[in-house]
Amino acid sequence: MFKSTAYGELAAQLREAIARGDYANGRQLPTEAELGDLHDVSRQTVRRALQELVSEGLVFRVRGRGTFATTLAPNTHYFRSIGSIDDLLALSLDTTRETIHPLSLRADVSAASRLQLDSDQVSSALFRRVHEGIAFGVTEVLLPPAVGRELLARKVLAKTGEIASRAIVGIVDEIVADGVAGAHQSITAVPLSEEHAGMLGSLAGAPALRIDRLYVDVQGRPVELAVSHFDPGRYTYRVQLRRGSSSRG
């Protein structure tokens, strides 16, 4: 039997409060200082308890705003645990994408360079991801022109307002000769632009999670660049890390 800890007991009490609906309808949890005074524990204990709830997907924290429950607002918050390319493909299981700007050719030196293209022409489109009627992210996809033409031939990202579920990378995986073998990813915090805020029903300048993914084939050649902006009040992103088999003797 494991010995209970102060932060574990606090986490359990907060779970019960969330389950009762104490923090429904967007109501904010007490601050760390308030929780410490209320439960007569240290600030460090409160932080560890809240981190447990974050890792479980029960609450999310927005810098400068506070901590909010997620479980009692399933229609407004989307949680995704990512550990592989297959997990990214699984986005199609419970979300849809809505095309905002269909695929078209444009000059983009930076994107063309990242895709290792011979010219500055890329095929690009913009869509948003929706979960149970609520938009939680906007993605710009940038592709080699040949891949873009094949997507259009399949009537994918072909017109404004198009609703579909399948992840674009899953279709690209079928198009490119060697398939998609992996992705290089970077995550940064940025303010939402007016355009993206309007698409998400959020405030311009509000904090957003920007995730860049450069997908590559088995030869390491780039086949797709996806730049996504997520509202952290509606989206939780978790990465699973495991030790390799050779890390222990």
Side-chain angles (χ1 to χ4, degrees):
M1 186 178 212
F2 293 104
K3 182 180 178 181
S4 62
T5 60
Y7 73 84
E9 292 176 1
L10 176 56
Q13 292 179 48
L14 291 174
R15 285 190 200 95
E16 292 178 5
I18 291 170
R20 284 195 306 267
D22 292 358
Y23 304 109
N25 302 317
R27 183 182 168 197
Q28 181 180 342
L29 271 69
T31 65
E32 290 181 358
E34 290 169 341
L35 284 171
D37 291 341
L38 184 63
H39 296 275
D40 193 24
V41 294
S42 69
R43 182 73 70 89
Q44 183 62 27
T45 294
V46 173
R47 287 198 187 108
R48 292 190 67 178
L50 289 176
Q51 187 55 47
E52 273 206 6
L53 300 185
V54 169
S55 68
E56 295 168 8
L58 294 178
V59 302
F60 62 98
R61 311 188 76 176
V62 181
R63 186 177 181 85
R65 291 176 56 194
T67 304
F68 304 84
T70 61
T71 56
L72 294 204
N75 292 332
T76 60
H77 199 84
Y78 184 70
F79 174 79
R80 172 58 61 187
S81 180
I82 304 294
S84 68
I85 293 296
D86 289 334
D87 290 335
L88 295 172
L89 298 179
L91 280 170
S92 62
L93 298 178
D94 53 6
T95 72
T96 57
R97 56 177 163 80
E98 177 187 349
T99 301
I100 305 298
H101 300 311
L103 279 168
S104 63
L105 275 178
R106 68 179 174 86
D108 188 321
V109 175
S110 176
S113 176
R114 295 179 69 181
L115 288 167
Q116 298 179 17
L117 301 177
D118 293 331
S119 76
D120 62 0
Q121 295 292 303
V122 298
S123 189
S124 69
L126 189 71
F127 62 86
R128 61 182 179 179
R129 274 280 168 191
V130 178
H131 175 60
E132 296 189 356
I134 302 296
F136 62 88
V138 177
T139 297
E140 181 181 24
V141 62
L142 302 119
L143 305 153
V147 176
R149 286 193 295 272
E150 181 59 29
L151 285 174
L152 287 175
R154 298 186 183 204
K155 295 182 169 39
V156 175
L157 297 175
K159 61 180 181 179
T160 300
E162 169 190 314
I163 303 294
S165 59
R166 195 172 180 198
I168 297 301
V169 65
I171 306 173
V172 172
D173 184 51
E174 296 176 350
I175 292 174
V176 298
D178 295 321
V180 175
H184 304 293
Q185 176 174 278
S186 64
I187 303 176
T188 53
V190 297
L192 272 178
S193 67
E194 287 190 16
E195 180 184 23
H196 291 158
M199 295 173 190
L200 296 174
S202 302
L203 295 175
L209 188 67
R210 171 173 167 158
I211 300 180
D212 287 32
R213 291 194 186 102
L214 182 66
Y215 295 97
V216 297
D217 63 14
V218 295
Q219 304 298 324
R221 295 179 298 238
V223 294
E224 176 190 338
L225 173 61
V227 180
S228 302
H229 290 79
F230 296 102
D231 181 339
R234 300 175 184 173
Y235 178 80
T236 295
Y237 178 86
R238 180 194 292 175
V239 177
Q240 299 180 10
L241 302 176
R242 298 181 179 88
R243 296 183 73 171
S245 58
S246 61
S247 62
R248 306 186 78 174

